Amino acid sequence: MKYRKKPVEIEAVQFADDPDTLIKINDGLGLDPVNVSYEDPDNPVLKIPTLEGVMTAQVGDYIIKGVHGEFYPCKPDIFEETYEPSGVRIDGKLLAEKLAVPIKHELDKQSRDAQRRKGFF
């Protein structure tokens, strides 16, 4: 049996070693940024306590706040494959919503399903 992931809106901040990002992580997500480790000054990491133990996020990783308020890091390539912007909000107003466009393999699958129903397969 196949399952599809339910659409869920999450909060996330891409980790960068700068004061503005640390403020976003703290104020926006509610994660205490004092967990930034500078053991290797050229490669700071953010240590995130999770249910599975302490995980580290490197600069460029996304810090995600899950649906139950939990935090976890995500590599940029996985984040971009899994998530898309839900809309742009300024002062609480939605300015634009990204239109959902079916991806190519979903269109191909829908086409094959339609042909099967018509008896072509």
Side-chain angles (χ1 to χ4, degrees):
M1 181 172 267
K2 292 187 178 187
Y3 292 88
R4 178 177 292 175
K5 195 175 196 178
K6 292 179 182 179
V8 175
E9 188 171 48
I10 54 104
E11 295 179 65
V13 173
Q14 192 168 25
F15 176 49
D17 185 31
D18 63 60
D20 289 338
T21 300
L22 297 178
I23 289 169
K24 287 179 190 174
I25 289 171
N26 187 11
D27 294 345
L29 297 181
L31 180 63
D32 192 354
V34 297
N35 293 328
V36 176
S37 172
Y38 293 98
E39 291 172 15
D40 177 0
D42 295 331
N43 188 24
V45 296
L46 178 63
K47 295 183 179 185
I48 303 170
T50 71
L51 295 175
E52 292 82 25
V54 176
M55 300 180 81
T56 59
Q58 297 177 337
V59 170
D61 290 351
Y62 284 85
I63 312 306
I64 297 174
K65 183 176 184 178
V67 296
H68 299 291
E70 74 281 14
F71 296 97
Y72 54 95
C74 185
K75 293 292 179 196
D77 56 337
I78 302 297
F79 185 87
E80 291 164 7
E81 287 178 22
T82 307
Y83 300 99
E84 64 183 15
S86 65
V88 177
R89 295 178 188 272
I90 295 180
D91 295 330
K93 296 179 183 175
L94 184 63
L95 295 181
E97 189 72 25
K98 185 174 181 177
L99 298 175
V101 178
I103 52 180
K104 184 180 183 323
H105 73 271
E106 280 296 320
L107 292 174
D108 292 344
K109 182 180 177 197
Q110 290 170 3
S111 175
R112 287 192 308 273
D113 289 346
Q115 291 176 349
R116 278 190 197 101
R117 283 193 297 276
K118 292 179 182 177
F120 292 123
F121 281 107

